[in-house]
């Protein structure tokens, strides 16, 4: 028996809804299939369901055959038509994003150079501070198939070995899911991997290959490539990304078969120095950051996302070591100086004592700064300088409040989008922004609209291949071309504005029309919310000044926006034409270069003349050596990593005392 319906599941049957659908289907004895465009797949396989790529508002047919077919049809059709009803597990779309991403702190990048001592390497000073601890090398090896042809009598044993390995991987993932410490975002990721491991698409394919005489490791590698290729071929950006999940599960099974352990960041010992060629910001954000003593990487520059995450968590980091990082693969202990960009391999006793002293002195300095937590920095002329925090998730609210942040000067919304397997809903965004507004009211919370481009794609947005993604379709450019995504965010912000002092700023602005077009969309959203009877409030609209074009038209822009926030990270790279991620040009990527300082001054002048607030949220805002200069230029808001706030307040107070 069968029934057809229109799918009302938001964004279609992607990972979590597919899993829920499978869970429901497995509760029935009947064979159940889902049919789309004449193609039928088992409703008890989440991989097959995902590969069917069922989208919201598409017509599908559910077919059931067995004793409880009527009940199965009713339940499954019910889910497709009303996915929220009757489900109490893992309200995935409700949980605000976790973690990561901030800014500020001194640490200008220094150019990587050749080793200047047998055991001393130089890289980019990416996150200030000193650390010394055991090295934790994170260089996951590639796994190659063994290419062994099995004898007939070996096959059964190899299948048993394979099944045991799959069981072990599933158990490991179930264990991870049972941990309370797992954030909602991470739980979604692990659950999706567990579903793949538990699904017979991958395992069935691998078993078929073993039966054909392939050894288990080769079979898993081939099977994972086959299934991953199917995901890659689907015309859906989100499903394409699942190919990586399949490879990740395949890798785990192979490691168990080989009796090896993957180098996992989960196991990093307390205080260890993480050594890697590259770490995805995503992996780092999910790592037990509290346990990491320091980070050393072959890749990355002072404003790369690894650096930003490290700074936001107060973890000293030296990046951009290039091939030199290989010298650290076998190190036992490592000392690192995140201010100078030095790394010392297996330091001798004298160096150890020196670093231990520096770590202690830094802790003392931090303790001495706590008196500035509650200080409101005021200049001799009575002007108050707002020292605010840059954060990227609700989890960082506490750190910002603890530091004494006078609001949020930059809430990076990208992580909210990156941490989910589909575009975050308006409700979920509204809840997140409202939580921020409430936490800091009456101080302002400046939310930056989505600032993303092809260099870090996210599920649900198809980015073109671009030769220069940093000069391409990103930030406000992408948002204006995708009003469906942009309006969802603007509506969420208008709704959240009811709960506190929300301000909104646009990234990567280079033309006045971008502000005007945004205003039209804001007006449209306001009218829609009014017509729908949804509570909402207005917000101040400002722009980031981070392109040379924005600096040059600042006097015109200032007449149409409520505030400026200078993004020195991008402004420096665009003024100096020096890629902020490229360690080889790190020397040029210097905010103190007269060209950049003059751009900042021009912006400040234009803003002050128009009577609007001029702030700064690039990393330079947290540099005590530059704060007085910025304040003298007329800036009245400085937003930075929570870790830099007290030192910045101290610098402003010192300046005020000097008159
Ligand atoms: C900047 O460019 O200065 C900025 C604050 O934004 P991001 O570092 O996120 O590009
Ligand atoms: Mg920027």
């Amino acid at each position: 028996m069968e029934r057809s319906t229109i799918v009302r599941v938001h964004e279609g049957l992607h990972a979590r809804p597919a899993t829920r659908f499978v869970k429901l289907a497995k509760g029935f004895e009947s064979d159940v299939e889902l049919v789309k465009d004449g193609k039928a797949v088992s409703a008890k396989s989440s991989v097959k369901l995902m590969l069917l790529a069922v989208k919201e508002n598409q017509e599908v047919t559910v077919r059931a055959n067995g004793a409880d077919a009527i009940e199965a049809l009713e339940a499954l059709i019910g889910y497709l038509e009303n996915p929220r009803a009757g489900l109490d597990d893992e309200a995935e779309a409700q949980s605000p994003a976790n973690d990561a991403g901030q800014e500020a702190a001194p640490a200008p990048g220094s150019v990587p150079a050749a080793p200047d001592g047998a055991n001393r390497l130089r890289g980019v000073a990416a996150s200030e501070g000193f650390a010394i601890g055991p090295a934790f090398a994170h260089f996951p090896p590639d796994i190659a198939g063994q290419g062994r042809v099995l004898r007939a009598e070996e096959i059964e044993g190899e299948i048993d070995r394979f099944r045991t390995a799959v069981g072990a991987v599933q158990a490991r993932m179930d264990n991870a899911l049972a941990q309370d410490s797992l954030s909602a975002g991470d739980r979604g990721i692990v659950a999706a991997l567990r579903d793949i491991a538990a699904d017979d698409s991958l395992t069935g394919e691998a078993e078929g290959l073993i039966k054909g005489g392939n050894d288990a490791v080769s079979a898993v590698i081939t099977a994972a490539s086959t299934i991953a290729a199917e995901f890659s071929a689907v015309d859906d950006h989100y499903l394409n990304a699942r190919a990586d999940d399949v490879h990740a599960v395949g890798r785990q099974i192979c490691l168990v078969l080989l009796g090896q352990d993957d180098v996992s960041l989960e196991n990093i010992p307390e205080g260890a120095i993480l050594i890697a060629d590259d770490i995805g910001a995503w992996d780092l954000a999910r790592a037990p950051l509290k346990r990491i003593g320091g980070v050393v990487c072959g890749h990355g520059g002072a404003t790369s996302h690894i650096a930003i995450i490290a700074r936001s968590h107060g973890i000293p980091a030296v990046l951009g070591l290039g091939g030199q990082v290989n010298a650290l693969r076998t190190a036992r202990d490592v000392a690192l100086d995140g201010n100078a960009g030095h790394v010392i391999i297996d330091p001798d006793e004298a160096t150890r004592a020196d670093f231990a002293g520096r770590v202690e002195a830094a802790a003392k300095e931090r303790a001495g700064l706590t008196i500035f937590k509650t200080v409101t920095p005021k200049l001799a002329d009575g002007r108050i300088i707002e020292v605010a925090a840059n954060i990227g998730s609700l989890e960082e609210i506490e750190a910002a409040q603890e530091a004494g942040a006078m609001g949020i000067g930059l809430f990076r919304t990208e992580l909210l989008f990156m941490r989910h397997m589909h575009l975050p809903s308006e409700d979920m965004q509204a809840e997140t922004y409202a939580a921020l507004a409430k936490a800091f009211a009456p101080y302002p919370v400046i939310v930056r609209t989505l600032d993303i481009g092809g260099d870090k794609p996210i599920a649900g947005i198809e980015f073109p291949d671009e030769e220069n993604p940093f000069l391409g379709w990103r930030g406000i450019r992408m948002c204006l071309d995708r009003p469906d995504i942009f309006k969802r965010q603007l509506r969420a912000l208008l709704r959240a504005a009811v709960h506190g002092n929300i301000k909104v700023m646009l990234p990567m602005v280079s033309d006045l029309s971008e502000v005007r077009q945004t205003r039209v969309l804001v007006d449209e959203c306001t009218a829609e919310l009014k017509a729908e009877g949804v509570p909402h409030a207005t917000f101040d609209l400002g722009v980031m000044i981070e392109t040379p074009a924005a600096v040059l038209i600042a006097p015109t822009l200032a007449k149409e926006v409520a505030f400026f926030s200078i993004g020195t990270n991008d402004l420096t790279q665009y003024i100096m034409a020096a890629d902020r991620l490229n360690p080889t040009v790190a020397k040029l990527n210097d905010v103190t270069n007269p060209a950049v300082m003059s751009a900042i001054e021009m912006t400040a002048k234009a803003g002050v003349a128009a009577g609007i607030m001029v702030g700064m949220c690039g990393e330079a805002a947290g540099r005590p050596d530059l704060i007085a200069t910025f304040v003298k230029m007329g800036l009245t808001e400085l937003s930075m990593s929570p870790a830099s706030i007290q030192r910045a307040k101290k610098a402003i107070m010192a300046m005020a005392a000097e008159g």
Side-chain angles (χ1 to χ4, degrees):
M1 87 182 31
E2 62 180 49
R3 251 175 75 188
S4 298
T5 191
I6 302 292
V7 175
R8 299 295 180 205
V9 181
H10 179 58
E11 307 271 348
L13 286 185
H14 57 79
R16 301 311 290 150
T19 304
R20 287 174 183 164
F21 193 77
V22 167
K23 202 167 156 188
L24 270 180
K26 283 188 173 165
F28 300 98
E29 273 173 28
S30 301
D31 288 335
V32 197
E33 285 183 334
L34 190 69
V35 191
K36 189 192 100 178
D37 300 333
K39 187 172 174 204
V41 300
S42 164
K44 295 187 179 178
S45 159
S46 55
V47 168
K48 292 195 175 103
L49 270 185
M50 280 196 279
L51 284 170
L52 200 58
V54 174
K55 306 250 164 69
E56 190 174 358
N57 297 326
Q58 276 182 339
E59 185 174 357
V60 294
T61 302
V62 181
R63 239 181 236 159
N65 191 0
D68 49 7
I70 297 179
E71 293 83 353
L73 273 192
E74 189 143 319
L76 294 170
I77 291 281
Y79 175 71
L80 293 174
E81 291 177 350
N82 187 6
R84 281 175 183 263
L87 280 164
D88 54 3
D89 62 334
E90 303 140 271
E92 126 256 19
Q94 301 303 321
S95 43
N98 186 1
D99 198 302
Q102 281 357 294
E103 210 38 47
S110 61
V111 188
D116 60 356
N119 64 347
R120 185 185 288 257
L121 307 174
R122 230 188 275 167
V124 174
S127 176
E128 66 167 355
F130 303 95
I132 179 160
F136 184 85
H138 181 69
F139 293 88
D142 285 341
I143 296 176
Q146 296 164 318
R148 203 158 61 81
V149 181
L150 301 176
R151 292 191 305 274
E153 65 272 21
E154 286 179 310
I155 290 178
E156 203 174 312
E158 191 71 345
I159 288 184
D160 282 349
R161 220 166 67 79
F162 167 71
R163 288 185 182 161
T164 309
V166 172
V169 169
Q170 286 174 7
R172 205 177 274 177
M173 290 173 175
D174 284 337
N175 251 346
L177 286 170
Q179 308 290 322
D180 286 343
S181 54
L182 209 62
S183 73
D186 297 352
R187 192 172 297 280
I189 300 285
V190 178
L193 295 177
R194 197 262 323 263
D195 292 342
I196 291 170
D199 196 282
D200 66 5
S201 299
L202 176 65
T203 52
E205 181 83 20
E207 284 200 18
L209 289 162
I210 300 172
K211 282 181 189 146
N214 291 279
D215 69 87
V217 172
S218 305
V220 172
I221 292 171
T222 310
S225 300
T226 307
I227 310 273
E230 285 183 50
F231 275 110
S232 302
V234 181
D235 182 22
D236 180 299
H237 190 67
Y238 166 75
L239 288 173
N240 298 157
R242 304 284 63 76
D244 288 344
D245 294 353
V246 175
H247 283 302
V249 171
R251 179 181 176 85
Q252 292 306 310
I253 299 172
C254 288
L255 285 167
V256 175
L257 283 166
L258 293 167
Q260 294 173 4
D261 261 339
D262 208 353
V263 196
S264 158
L265 292 181
E266 261 170 56
N267 304 324
I268 191 162
E270 186 75 40
I273 312 295
L274 173 59
I275 316 284
D277 187 36
D278 195 11
I279 316 166
W282 176 239
D283 285 331
L284 187 59
R286 289 184 300 141
L289 293 165
K290 285 206 167 75
R291 290 215 299 274
I292 299 179
V295 175
V296 178
C297 265
H299 284 74
T303 57
S304 65
H305 279 91
I306 308 177
I308 287 173
I309 292 171
R311 280 199 294 273
S312 78
H313 291 271
I315 303 171
V318 177
L319 307 179
L321 281 158
Q324 298 182 94
V325 77
N326 287 319
L328 286 153
R329 279 176 183 259
T330 52
R332 246 181 315 112
D333 294 310
V334 171
L336 79 86
D337 174 347
N339 300 7
H342 288 163
V343 179
I344 300 164
I345 308 169
D346 293 327
D348 57 22
E349 274 315 311
T351 312
R352 279 172 189 280
D354 178 32
F355 269 76
R358 291 176 194 219
V359 171
E360 200 185 315
K364 253 198 205 134
E365 193 219 353
R366 274 199 303 278
L369 285 171
T370 52
I371 50 162
F372 291 95
K373 174 179 170 182
T374 51
V375 164
T376 300
K378 209 183 215 177
L379 303 182
D381 62 9
R383 264 187 307 153
I384 286 177
I385 306 297
E386 277 185 39
V387 182
N390 292 355
I391 63 170
S393 68
L394 297 185
E395 282 75 4
E396 290 161 89
I397 289 178
E398 202 184 321
Q401 287 174 333
E402 271 305 298
M406 301 157 72
I408 297 296
L410 168 61
F411 181 71
R412 287 185 168 93
T413 55
E414 300 72 80
L415 288 149
L416 201 63
F417 284 70
M418 286 164 75
R419 289 204 149 238
H420 289 270
M421 301 194 181
H422 49 93
L423 293 168
S425 66
E426 179 185 315
D427 284 354
M428 184 269 203
Q429 290 189 61
E431 272 176 38
T432 304
Y433 307 144
L436 274 174
K438 284 182 201 160
F440 290 95
Y443 285 127
V445 166
I446 303 182
V447 179
R448 178 173 74 184
T449 58
L450 185 58
D451 185 14
I452 209 133
D455 58 317
K456 27 177 162 66
I458 53 173
I461 306 178
E462 187 121 8
F463 286 92
D465 282 337
E466 297 177 310
E467 278 201 26
N468 292 305
F470 277 104
L471 302 179
W473 197 58
R474 57 185 314 117
I476 188 66
R477 305 166 182 186
M478 186 278 287
C479 283
L480 287 170
D481 286 346
R482 287 292 307 265
D484 53 329
I485 297 170
F486 198 22
K487 279 180 72 177
R488 199 189 285 182
Q489 185 168 40
L490 293 172
R491 281 173 57 105
L493 287 162
L494 287 162
R495 286 168 55 183
V498 172
H499 301 282
N501 189 357
I502 290 273
K503 298 180 184 215
V504 175
M505 74 178 166
L506 310 177
M508 283 292 294
V509 166
S510 50
D511 190 81
L512 184 61
S513 64
E514 291 158 341
V515 176
R516 291 190 174 158
Q517 285 178 55
T518 302
R519 278 210 194 281
V520 171
L521 292 179
V522 172
D523 290 347
E524 265 176 46
C525 293
T526 309
E528 283 168 17
L529 290 168
K530 200 167 163 201
E532 292 161 22
V534 178
H536 60 281
T538 53
F539 50 65
D540 277 354
L541 184 66
V543 289
M544 288 195 70
I545 301 289
E546 52 183 351
T547 67
V551 175
L552 296 171
I553 59 163
T556 319
L557 278 173
K559 291 194 191 114
E560 303 221 5
V561 297
F563 62 93
F564 285 162
S565 184
I566 305 173
T568 50
N569 306 342
D570 276 320
L571 186 62
T572 308
Q573 84 162 341
Y574 294 132
I575 293 273
M576 300 304 295
D579 183 346
R580 67 193 255 189
L581 300 180
N582 183 344
T584 342
V585 292
K587 204 156 117 191
L588 282 174
N589 215 295
D590 175 8
V591 71
T592 63
N593 185 289
V596 185
M597 290 307 262
S598 137
I600 295 171
E601 194 167 14
M602 282 165 72
T603 305
K605 245 189 205 148
V608 171
I612 63 168
M613 183 197 91
V614 183
M616 180 182 282
C617 61
E619 75 169 275
R623 284 183 56 170
D625 57 330
L626 298 179
I627 282 176
T629 310
F630 296 146
V631 169
K632 280 181 196 144
M633 286 179 184
L635 272 65
T636 53
E637 186 244 23
L638 298 166
S639 191
M640 60 200 71
S641 157
S644 302
I645 286 178
Q646 291 169 4
R647 208 186 282 127
K649 285 187 176 180
K650 183 180 174 186
I652 301 165
M653 295 306 285
M655 174 192 174
E658 279 166 19

